[in-house]
Amino acid sequence: MGKSGVAEKPLSAPLKLEFNYTRSTGPTIGAFVSALRNRKVIGALGSDGRVFVPPQEFDPITAEPLTEFVGVSDGGTVVSWTWNAEPYDGQPLAKPFAWALIKLDGADSTMLHAVDVDSSDAISTGMRVRARWAAERVGQIQDIECFEPGETENGVATLDSEGDPVTMITTPISLDFMHTASLGESFYLRGLAEGKLIGGRSGPNDKVYIPPRGTNPTNGRPMVEQVELPDRGIITTFCIVNVPFLGQKIKPPYVAAYVLLDGADIAFLHLILECDAADIRMGMRVEAKWKPREEWGYGLENIEYFRPTGEPDAEYDTYKHHL
């Protein structure tokens, strides 16, 4: 039986997406961050004689790799700036500061960095600034904590290097935002918090989607009718995960599969456990393994995984149009 889901207020919650992005530096960025580790700033020399800081990997005129480096000063001039009144976590300073494009002495391009001043009245275009170096440096842009007003006492950087070159860098990526769920998402999430799987459809004869969409993709009508589904279904397609990766919580091999719940018209992705990965097959009947009630929240992670029921497999013709 379906029912209307338009009466309740949509759910909303703060969300945070974060991960560590690790990349190889290559010869150009590697040389730049290796120099930063040694309290030096270097740029790349272009075919027209310009010095690019930070160094570009390819010449903007010839498109050839830039391989010749030039030392520059760690002091320079503010070319333009903007005031950051409310810093986010992970930014260079925890108090209000200026973002500025700074042209270092000896460079022909600008670099973006923070300038530590007390207010927006204390910074201006043309101001002379110098790098404030971190006490512990590892070979990343944060080796310069920020810039501060004043002239540098350091000269132009030399190209001699100390220590092994930096070949890998890891950058933390983070995004904080407030997410407001659609009406369909809201009744779906409220159902999960009560141990129910609730799909949506736009009318009695239309397809049932779980999770629900805002509108039916085939007819454009709002998907406001709720349909409670059982926590049993079949595996349509699956993947055996054999490769380990950072943050992995389950030891490979294990199976990620698309589960088509009985009465639904679209499958969703979930884990399959309590059986050998080699025994998983298309059409296998599975059921949800729920976490303990006290661990439930507003999310599909309330279901820890799906497991085989032991029932006979579904015939291919009964689910082939869901692949």
Side-chain angles (χ1 to χ4, degrees):
M1 295 291 291
K3 65 176 183 178
S4 172
V6 299
E8 295 182 285
K9 182 179 179 180
L11 294 172
S12 64
L15 294 182
K16 184 172 186 176
L17 301 177
E18 58 182 348
F19 62 93
N20 287 333
Y21 176 63
T22 301
R23 58 157 288 184
S24 57
T25 59
T28 306
I29 301 302
F32 177 67
V33 294
S34 296
L36 291 179
R37 186 185 57 192
N38 297 323
R39 288 176 59 103
K40 300 176 181 180
V41 184
I42 65 172
L45 182 63
S47 62
D48 59 354
R50 286 184 295 169
V51 177
F52 300 100
V53 180
Q56 300 181 17
E57 294 183 284
F58 298 94
D59 192 290
I61 297 177
T62 67
E64 293 296 320
L66 293 177
T67 58
E68 185 176 351
F69 301 105
V70 177
V72 300
S73 172
D74 63 354
T77 303
V78 172
V79 174
S80 65
W81 61 275
T82 187
W83 188 247
N84 184 9
E86 298 181 1
Y88 291 109
D89 291 341
Q91 291 189 329
L93 298 170
K95 66 184 186 71
F97 65 91
W99 285 113
L101 289 175
I102 301 166
K103 186 177 181 180
L104 297 179
D105 297 342
D108 294 290
S109 63
T110 59
M111 67 180 294
L112 178 68
H113 217 302
V115 179
D116 185 5
V117 289
D118 292 332
S119 71
S120 59
D121 295 330
I123 186 171
S124 60
T125 298
M127 173 183 279
R128 296 288 295 171
V129 292
R130 62 192 176 201
R132 180 191 298 165
W133 293 94
E136 295 184 8
R137 299 174 302 280
V138 297
Q140 58 184 11
I141 192 62
Q142 291 88 347
D143 289 349
I144 298 178
E145 289 184 349
C146 62
F147 283 79
E148 58 191 12
E151 294 288 349
T152 181
E153 297 179 357
N154 302 320
V156 173
T158 58
L159 296 182
D160 54 302
S161 60
E162 301 173 19
D164 296 330
V166 177
T167 59
M168 302 289 290
I169 54 175
T170 299
T171 303
I173 306 297
S174 180
L175 177 64
D176 293 272
F177 60 98
M178 179 66 71
H179 174 67
T180 299
S182 67
L183 292 171
E185 281 183 293
S186 294
F187 66 67
Y188 164 72
L189 295 173
R190 285 191 174 100
L192 286 169
E194 298 174 359
K196 301 176 182 178
L197 292 168
I198 300 179
R201 64 185 176 189
S202 55
N205 299 318
D206 292 328
K207 291 183 177 181
V208 176
Y209 289 78
I210 185 167
R213 277 52 168 169
T215 57
N216 187 316
T218 60
N219 59 30
R221 293 191 297 174
M223 198 172 287
V224 296
E225 187 175 330
Q226 302 178 23
V227 180
E228 185 172 349
L229 299 166
D231 61 359
R232 291 184 168 221
I234 61 170
I235 293 174
T236 57
T237 59
F238 64 94
C239 171
I240 299 178
V241 180
N242 290 295
V243 180
F245 55 84
L246 186 66
Q248 196 170 35
K249 296 181 180 180
I250 302 174
K251 184 179 179 180
Y254 61 90
V255 173
Y258 278 94
V259 176
L260 180 69
L261 297 179
D262 296 341
D265 291 288
I266 191 169
F268 59 84
L269 189 65
H270 217 296
L271 290 171
I272 309 296
L273 296 177
E274 292 193 25
C275 67
D276 192 286
D279 294 331
I280 302 296
R281 55 196 178 273
M282 296 170 64
M284 174 182 274
R285 296 282 302 170
V286 292
E287 64 181 0
K289 164 64 169 59
W290 294 80
K291 290 181 177 179
R293 178 65 180 84
E294 60 272 15
E295 297 180 19
W296 289 358
Y298 291 92
L300 190 57
E301 62 270 16
N302 292 355
I303 295 177
E304 192 171 359
Y305 53 83
F306 281 79
R307 59 191 176 190
T309 65
E311 300 171 281
D313 292 356
E315 294 291 334
Y316 177 73
D317 286 343
T318 65
Y319 64 87
K320 64 181 181 181
H321 55 291
H322 294 292
L323 300 178

